């Protein structure tokens, strides 16, 4: 059950906003890299296999940025 009186302080709201922004950037970059991978393979459509190929690069990049 959700507490209707739940309040977040300014710092918590900032953390939530930064988390959302980070996820948005990550998803945007993943989409761009997936499109480039599909184009490199001369495909008209991107598929899950293209995403799977770029995923290790993305994980490595964002792991190093956060730690």
């Amino acid at each position: 059950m959700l507490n209707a009186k739940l309040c977040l302080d300014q710092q918590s709201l900032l953390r939530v906003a930064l988390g959302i922004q980070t996820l948005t950037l990550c998803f945007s970059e993943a989409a761009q890299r997936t499109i480039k991978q599909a184009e490199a393979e001369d495909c008209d459509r991107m598929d899950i296999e293209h995403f799977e190929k770029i995923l290790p690069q993305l994980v490595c990049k964002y792991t190093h940025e956060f730690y």
Side-chain angles (χ1 to χ4, degrees):
M1 181 174 178
L2 182 61
N3 184 352
K5 294 185 178 186
L6 177 66
C7 294
L8 296 174
D9 62 1
Q10 191 126 9
Q11 187 174 11
S12 296
L13 288 173
L14 180 60
R15 287 181 181 162
V16 169
L18 288 174
I20 291 170
Q21 184 177 13
T22 302
L23 285 173
T24 301
L25 291 172
C26 182
F27 290 142
S28 176
E29 184 171 349
Q32 291 171 1
R33 287 182 183 224
T34 303
I35 291 168
K36 285 183 182 180
Q37 181 66 38
E39 289 173 348
E41 296 178 13
D42 291 327
C43 295
D44 295 334
R45 298 177 352 167
M46 59 181 186
D47 202 352
I48 190 66
E49 286 83 16
H50 300 119
F51 175 72
E52 290 171 346
K53 289 178 182 177
I54 64 97
L55 190 57
Q57 303 165 7
L58 208 61
V59 169
C60 186
K61 176 184 178 180
Y62 283 98
T63 301
H64 289 292
E65 285 186 10
F66 292 126
Y67 294 106

